[in-house]
Amino acid sequence: MEQLAYQYQTSQPISKRVHVGVVGSGDLEILMFPTDKSESTVKVRTGSDGFDKVWGNVLTRFFDRYPISADIVINDFGATPGVVYLRLTQAMEELADEK
Amino acid sequence: MKFAHDIVRFNQAVIQQRELVRQLALSKQVFGVIRRGLPSQPDLVPIGLRGIARNQRFALEIPTTAIQAIIHPWEITKRESFRAAEIAQFPVYEQYHVAQKILAGFKWGVGGSLGFELTSGIQAIKPTSDFDLLLYANAPTEIPLSVIIKNRLFFEQFDTQVITLKGGFALKEYLRTPDKKILLKTDTGPILTKEIWS
């Protein structure tokens, strides 16, 4: 079990809490909370050790595309980078969903 | 027919990576788990071999013709492990026994290390092993929803994957947001979709 932390300077506040994904084999859950700051913090709790750099790459790619400001918690259970990116995309769809 | 999570038996002579055979101390009869995915050639099957350590998996492909037997996860749900007394108190084994009672009559299966042990007779589960429950359903009505609701706390304890003709998804995600896109693991990779049935 490893805890990783990342920080990004961002510009687009989110307006609501979002929860996508599940803690299950090869999957992960993402929680996003609104913040007043112009930055995003990401805490990754992962069962697969030694993927610090891979996480950094996936998150940097994500924030380059979506510079949202939020406090984000990711609980990972061995998801592949492909699944991680799908779940992040799903969180963005949730944010855009008016319901 | 072959599906992801099925276990296949084959002769270790077909494994070209001889180093792997030594490393895993494979006996003549090898059991592998069919992986979800498309093979690089139509006459091959993508499988995974279990390592000694937890989460250790070795992916490879074997020729379809090398398969001597296919065991589906739903065919082993009445079996007991060859060391049933020794593992009777393991949470995974206790959960399996509960599932046997409450899911009688439904099409369900056991994956993961327990499914492997029940199928192969090779020691695989540990006190910390997770119970991997598989529910086979081709329509929403085929999910044993009343059983799940009645035993909500039981189903909270482990991962249940629902297997449809299109792929597999997490029961927990489906129950939380049945009308939204969910993650479906398909042969061509994971996708977010509402088209989970057919």
Side-chain angles (χ1 to χ4, degrees), chain B residues 11-147:
Chain B
N11 191 299
Q12 56 121 297
V14 303
I15 300 175
Q16 279 157 5
Q17 302 96 314
R18 301 315 294 172
E19 185 53 37
L20 202 57
V21 175
R22 276 187 293 275
Q23 200 183 334
L24 299 179
L26 295 176
S27 53
K28 196 175 163 222
Q29 298 280 314
V30 181
F31 292 88
V33 184
I34 296 187
R35 288 182 287 125
R36 200 176 278 294
L38 295 175
S40 60
Q41 290 172 47
D43 54 345
L44 298 177
V45 186
I47 64 159
L49 297 180
R50 302 182 64 85
I52 316 296
R54 188 186 171 87
N55 291 334
Q56 214 182 355
R57 299 285 186 278
F58 299 90
L60 65 155
E61 293 180 319
I62 59 165
T64 307
T65 51
I67 296 173
Q68 295 166 342
I70 300 175
I71 305 99
H72 304 293
W74 64 83
E75 294 171 335
I76 57 169
T77 57
K78 290 198 168 73
R79 290 194 190 180
E80 295 296 333
S81 167
F82 68 96
R83 51 177 185 135
E86 181 191 334
I87 60 172
Q89 310 298 320
F90 287 16
V92 58
Y93 210 54
E94 291 180 334
Q95 288 163 346
Y96 171 57
H97 284 145
V98 174
Q100 280 181 323
K101 280 195 202 99
I102 63 177
L103 288 169
F106 292 97
K107 189 170 179 183
W108 64 284
V110 197
S113 50
L114 178 58
F116 188 84
E117 180 162 328
L118 293 174
T119 303
S120 66
I122 297 168
Q123 182 170 327
I125 67 165
K126 296 175 181 151
T128 52
S129 291
D130 295 315
F131 183 41
D132 285 299
L133 177 64
L134 308 171
L135 295 176
Y136 292 85
N138 292 330
T141 49
E142 291 181 15
I143 294 180
L145 210 54
S146 61
V147 175

Side-chain angles (χ1 to χ4, degrees), chain A residues 19-27 77 82-83 86-87 89-90 93-94 97, chain B residues 54-55 130 132 159 170 172-173 176-177 179-183 185 190-192:
Chain A
H19 176 200
V20 297
V22 287
V23 178
S25 190
D27 211 329
F77 215 112
V83 169
L86 265 187
R87 288 297 191 194
T89 309
Q90 187 183 19
E93 285 181 17
E94 279 292 298
D97 192 351
Chain B
R54 188 186 171 87
N55 291 334
D130 295 315
D132 285 299
D159 296 327
K172 281 174 191 163
E173 183 173 20
R176 195 171 71 216
T177 52
D179 50 346
K180 286 190 175 167
K181 283 187 192 174
I182 61 174
L183 190 135
K185 292 177 176 168
I191 52 169
L192 288 172

Side-chain angles (χ1 to χ4, degrees), chain A residues 4-51:
Chain A
L4 309 168
Y6 303 86
Q7 205 171 347
Y8 293 88
Q9 295 305 309
T10 53
S11 55
Q12 298 170 8
I14 64 168
S15 56
K16 63 176 182 185
R17 220 190 114 146
V18 164
H19 176 200
V20 297
V22 287
V23 178
S25 190
D27 211 329
L28 79 171
E29 77 177 347
I30 301 175
L31 299 140
M32 292 187 173
F33 304 91
T35 175
D36 296 332
K37 298 176 191 152
S38 294
E39 65 174 35
S40 270
T41 61
V42 185
K43 287 197 180 81
V44 180
R45 256 173 273 166
T46 174
S48 318
D49 292 356
F51 288 92

